[in-house]
Amino acid sequence: MQTELVKKGMWAVITGASSGIGESMARELGREGVNLILVARRLDRLQILGAELKDKYQIEYQAIDADLSVPQETKRVFERATANGRMIQVLINNAGVGVYGPFMHYDVEQYSKTIQLNVTALTELTYYFVGHMQGHGKTSYISNVGSIASFLSVPYFSVYCATKHFVKEFTQTLNFELRKSNISVTLIAPGGTYSEFTEHSGQILKKSAHASMMSSELVARIGMDGMFKRRRYIVPGFLNSLMVHFPRFLPAKWMLALNDLAMRGAVDYKK
Ligand SMILES: NC(=O)c1ccc[n+]([C@@H]2O[C@H](COP(=O)([O-])OP(=O)(O)OC[C@H]3O[C@@H](n4cnc5c(N)ncnc54)[C@H](OP(=O)(O)O)[C@@H]3O)[C@@H](O)[C@H]2O)c1
């Protein structure tokens, strides 16, 4: 007989909780009585969100301002999150950035920061928290937010796509390695989602883009549901879940041309 999971009173760490999908995930978990450690650079937003959820759902929260594109910040976040013997049972590596446009259109520093945040910080936080979760032995969950770009290679989005491919390979491999342990590791791979990502990635959405865009709330709900079901990966949205299988059937060169065509039809980049 399966025992029902008690989420109330658990502690979760969410990176990138100040907007978009991360904020919606915080709302989802808060509603279920999960205590929250909210991480991002905009502390004011984290504090407003934490206070609102505390008031609504009688949960506890802590806001940690951290720029995860700066080396060593992950260690500080881990130490603050686990201070005073606090046991973390959920880690969501959601913070991520990427810029769209010709490779030479952006500074090299932007690419370095993207890799540091999307790859290095995600790996380091997973490392620290897997050790912590193995130590306390309670049922635990890690979600890493990739993208449908984890499965598809999109021209003019080369560095972002490469980081999200890393997230997929890392997450799915670790999922297998830890499958018999107290920790499940899930890849959440959204497609186009309304959030601040469009603005920060230098994208300008064309009319046709809106046909396939999802809300952050829906992506978060599907993601959190799948995470607690210990799924290996989740691709929210029917069209998205279909699209990620295309590379199995088409040659890589065709896929690149197709993705380029589809992306250009849906978005432009800020010149
Ligand atoms: N929106 C989409 O279409 C889409 C599609 C597929 C995958 N995703 C993925 O979904 C995740 C969430 O993105 P979103 O769509 O919700 O975009 P968003 O609204 O721009 O949210 C990004 C979050 O990451 C945080 N962040 C950015 N840089 C950071 C840094 N250096 N250190 C710490 N936190 C940082 C931001 O907070 P601060 O600015 O306050 O630091 C914000 O909370 C990302 O991994 C993204 O790649 C998004």
Side-chain angles (χ1 to χ4, degrees):
M1 200 179 68
Q2 232 182 1
T3 49
E4 207 192 321
L5 174 70
V6 180
K7 296 175 196 163
K8 197 170 161 56
M10 276 185 177
W11 276 94
V13 173
I14 308 176
T15 70
S18 61
S19 70
I21 298 169
E23 179 187 335
S24 297
M25 286 170 165
R27 292 183 181 281
E28 274 298 310
L29 295 182
R31 201 166 46 81
E32 302 208 64
V34 176
N35 299 317
L36 300 168
I37 295 177
L38 308 169
V39 185
R41 291 167 301 182
R42 289 170 292 180
L43 184 63
D44 53 337
R45 287 215 189 184
L46 300 178
Q47 278 167 339
I48 292 169
L49 175 66
E52 180 198 323
L53 299 179
K54 178 181 177 176
D55 200 40
K56 252 187 183 163
Y57 306 117
Q58 290 75 54
I59 59 160
E60 292 181 60
Y61 81 94
Q62 184 180 359
I64 302 178
D65 60 320
D67 182 345
L68 295 172
S69 67
V70 173
Q72 304 304 323
E73 277 294 83
T74 53
K75 189 78 194 282
R76 187 178 68 82
V77 168
F78 171 70
E79 282 168 357
R80 283 193 65 189
T82 54
N84 305 319
R86 194 190 280 139
M87 289 183 211
I88 307 296
Q89 285 175 265
V90 178
L91 167 68
I92 301 169
N93 280 307
N94 161 74
V97 292
V99 283
Y100 179 68
F103 183 55
M104 295 307 289
H105 187 61
Y106 296 97
D107 294 340
V108 73
E109 288 77 22
Q110 195 130 25
Y111 293 127
S112 303
K113 282 186 172 186
T114 300
I115 295 166
Q116 184 74 31
L117 175 66
N118 297 10
V119 174
T120 309
L122 178 140
T123 308
E124 289 178 358
L125 285 172
T126 304
Y127 181 87
Y128 296 134
F129 282 100
V130 166
H132 170 80
M133 289 164 175
Q134 283 176 334
H136 65 57
K138 289 171 180 271
T139 303
S140 301
Y141 306 85
I142 295 176
S143 274
N144 291 332
V145 178
S147 164
I148 54 169
S150 297
F151 299 85
L152 306 166
S153 301
V154 185
Y156 303 100
F157 226 174
S158 55
V159 174
Y160 178 70
C161 277
T163 64
K164 293 299 183 180
H165 275 248
F166 174 91
V167 174
K168 175 180 69 114
E169 293 304 321
F170 170 62
T171 306
Q172 301 217 47
T173 310
L174 196 60
N175 170 288
F176 184 85
E177 200 176 312
L178 297 177
R179 71 194 182 286
K180 290 180 184 156
S181 76
N182 60 316
I183 308 163
S184 70
V185 189
T186 299
L187 170 76
I188 301 175
T193 307
Y194 291 112
S195 72
E196 294 180 7
F197 185 83
T198 307
E199 168 69 20
H200 296 149
S201 63
Q203 291 175 314
I204 303 164
L205 299 185
K206 295 183 184 170
K207 242 185 181 169
S208 62
H210 297 283
S212 60
M213 296 284 285
M214 292 177 69
S215 70
S216 289
E217 291 80 5
L218 185 57
V219 168
R221 198 170 317 134
I222 295 170
M224 294 300 86
D225 181 59
M227 175 183 79
F228 284 119
K229 288 182 176 147
R230 310 177 77 85
R231 297 260 304 273
R232 186 163 56 94
Y233 77 96
I234 303 149
V235 182
F238 176 71
L239 201 63
N240 295 327
S241 56
L242 206 65
M243 260 161 48
V244 297
H245 295 293
F246 285 3
R248 288 194 206 171
F249 306 109
L250 291 175
K253 217 164 113 181
W254 290 18
M255 270 315 298
L256 282 162
L258 204 68
N259 290 335
D260 189 26
L261 208 67
M263 198 69 176
R264 280 173 194 258
V267 297
D268 205 347
Y269 69 93
K270 278 189 212 148
K271 313 274 178 330

